[in-house]
Amino acid sequence: ESDGYRMMIRWYAVRIWPTLHDMGYKWVCRLDDDSLLLSEIPFNLFSFMRSRGFDYAYRNVAMERGGWDGNGNYGDKWWEWVNLYVSKMKLQPKWLFEANACRERSFLHENCGKDFFGFYNNFFVANIERFLEPDIQNLLHELDESGLMFMSRWNDLIIQSLAVQLFVPKSRVHRFTSFGYAHNSGHADTLRYGIVQLAAGLPNPERAMEKVLASVLHWPVWLQNNSRFVDGMYTLSRPASSLF
């Protein structure tokens, strides 16, 4: 990817928080231009977050490899960096071990695997002031100073997810399931890398997915054959093992 892509990573990982704060904002919601809301959201997202004491909310989960080192190795340096940072700062992570199923309380790729489970952050809602607190800011500063967003393509998904899973209690993180959502990277004619996920609890999700594919996305209806239920939400994703 280009330098511009890496600058986008740095914006969503590091620069967005102080910039929006200086502009007077307290909350932020991201919705990429290749994302779609597939149903109405009949409430104010920010009021919902504030009234329930949430600091961060997401719509989908994604598995990432933690960048690359230029030699075809994915994830090794990421877990090594996380392990060193947690040890140096003497941290007790809030729920990072749980989220990434490390076999031991040591963030090494031998224990955690090369994959990192984070928030598919082409959609998220966040409390800006929480991300400006010293614990998260110190983490983001050290990641920024390392240059690895540019050299190893450590993206905003894994950085933002690391900050939340290290420092924000799970009780203050929310997954939205009451509205349908889609995101597709690449060509618009079919699903390349992305997800189509309907709202939870629909009475006829198969018919609803068929309608979304045919009338909203204009994709082949046979794609529905690869759909499955994830936490009660009818889901079509590619790759299915990485996005849910």
Side-chain angles (χ1 to χ4, degrees):
E1 289 94 351
S2 65
D3 287 346
Y5 180 82
R6 285 162 167 76
M7 291 299 291
M8 182 274 293
I9 289 174
R10 186 171 183 257
W11 164 253
Y12 281 114
V14 178
R15 294 302 306 153
I16 188 172
W17 317 110
T19 301
L20 293 186
H21 177 267
D22 290 346
M23 294 173 67
Y25 292 102
K26 295 183 180 297
W27 293 89
V28 59
C29 176
R30 175 183 180 181
L31 182 72
D32 277 8
D33 58 4
D34 50 2
S35 297
L36 288 173
L37 297 175
L38 301 175
S39 56
E40 181 183 358
I41 303 176
F43 54 87
N44 184 295
L45 291 170
F46 304 129
S47 296
F48 178 93
M49 298 284 289
R50 184 172 54 250
S51 65
R52 289 161 176 80
F54 294 131
D55 287 321
Y56 188 87
Y58 63 101
R59 185 60 185 79
N60 297 110
V61 174
M63 182 182 70
E64 287 278 333
R65 285 293 177 94
W68 58 283
D69 64 1
N71 298 312
N73 298 314
Y74 287 80
D76 298 10
K77 284 188 176 181
W78 168 253
W79 285 119
E80 180 182 349
W81 192 95
V82 171
N83 186 58
L84 290 173
Y85 185 81
V86 168
S87 299
K88 180 179 73 172
M89 302 301 293
K90 297 180 173 58
L91 298 177
Q92 293 294 322
K94 296 300 184 186
W95 51 296
L96 184 60
F97 289 107
E98 174 189 345
N100 287 283
C102 293
R103 291 194 299 272
E104 301 174 10
R105 294 190 68 80
S106 175
F107 293 111
L108 298 175
H109 72 273
E110 293 89 348
N111 298 328
C112 303
K114 293 186 178 182
D115 300 320
F116 179 86
F117 288 93
F119 311 115
Y120 199 36
N121 70 329
N122 35 67
F123 172 90
F124 70 85
V125 184
N127 179 353
I128 294 170
E129 291 181 353
R130 180 63 186 91
F131 278 80
L132 289 174
E133 291 182 15
D135 52 0
I136 293 181
Q137 279 298 295
N138 185 75
L139 170 72
L140 298 182
H141 175 75
E142 294 217 12
L143 280 163
D144 198 20
E145 288 295 304
S146 74
L148 289 164
M149 283 181 280
F150 288 84
M151 294 185 292
S152 293
R153 194 193 171 276
W154 287 7
N155 64 24
D156 49 291
L157 187 160
I158 60 174
I159 293 171
Q160 199 173 100
S161 299
L162 176 65
V164 172
Q165 293 175 28
L166 273 179
F167 299 117
V168 182
K170 198 172 184 179
S171 61
R172 299 184 69 88
V173 178
H174 178 69
R175 181 174 188 173
F176 285 111
T177 62
S178 61
F179 56 87
Y181 178 77
H183 179 86
N184 186 38
S185 298
H187 301 288
D189 58 330
T190 191
L191 185 63
R192 301 292 179 177
Y193 182 93
I195 191 166
V196 181
Q197 190 171 72
L198 305 183
L202 294 181
N204 191 345
E206 293 85 357
R207 176 68 184 120
M209 179 66 80
E210 181 179 316
K211 183 177 180 180
V212 166
L213 291 175
S215 303
V216 179
L217 299 172
H218 307 291
W219 292 350
V221 175
W222 60 261
L223 284 171
Q224 179 174 314
N225 297 334
N226 299 315
S227 298
R228 68 201 192 282
F229 283 96
V230 176
D231 295 333
M233 295 173 287
Y234 202 48
T235 303
L236 171 65
S237 62
R238 181 176 292 176
S241 61
S242 298
L243 296 169
F244 46 90

